[in-house]
Amino acid sequence: MQISARGDYAVRAALSLATAYPSLLSTQAIAAEQDMPRKFLEAVLADLRRAGIVRAQRGAEGGYTLARPPREVTVGAVLRAVEGPLAGVRGLRPEETRYEGSAENLPGLWVAVRAAVRRVVDEVSLAEIVSGRLPAHVRRLTAMPDAWEPR
């Protein structure tokens, strides 16, 4: 799975909002805290607002806040709001792929990859990341001997 800059910025902005919840944060404050370009952040926040993940309030005291408590917002929801489906194969959903011959069973692997990604991003809330208390099954993944090694 490749996380784009847009996805990374969206999750980081959501974490800033989770930390401040239920208070409002300006785009300027988020951009400064997370060291990201304000214009790009504004586009990301617009996607999150359209998806119902954040609320915007206009005015001098305006800003953004999460639409729901941080424990109810998953990383998967944030990523989907800005990236679309989590796993795709040449622009298709894994279950839409079809192959002939020796690759005929490959769709099953692509569906399993998507399920594995979901098992992490859909089961970790913003509150868990902010608190540093990830679910046990996610902690076990990060504790695997080769988890932190590049391949």
Side-chain angles (χ1 to χ4, degrees), residues 21 113 132 142 146:
Y21 185 81
V113 168
T142 65
D146 63 347

Side-chain angles (χ1 to χ4, degrees), residues 47-69:
D47 287 344
L48 295 176
R49 185 183 50 75
R50 280 189 289 279
I53 293 173
V54 302
R55 284 188 305 104
Q57 181 175 312
R58 295 183 187 265
E61 300 298 316
Y64 290 86
T65 187
L66 292 175
R68 297 184 316 275

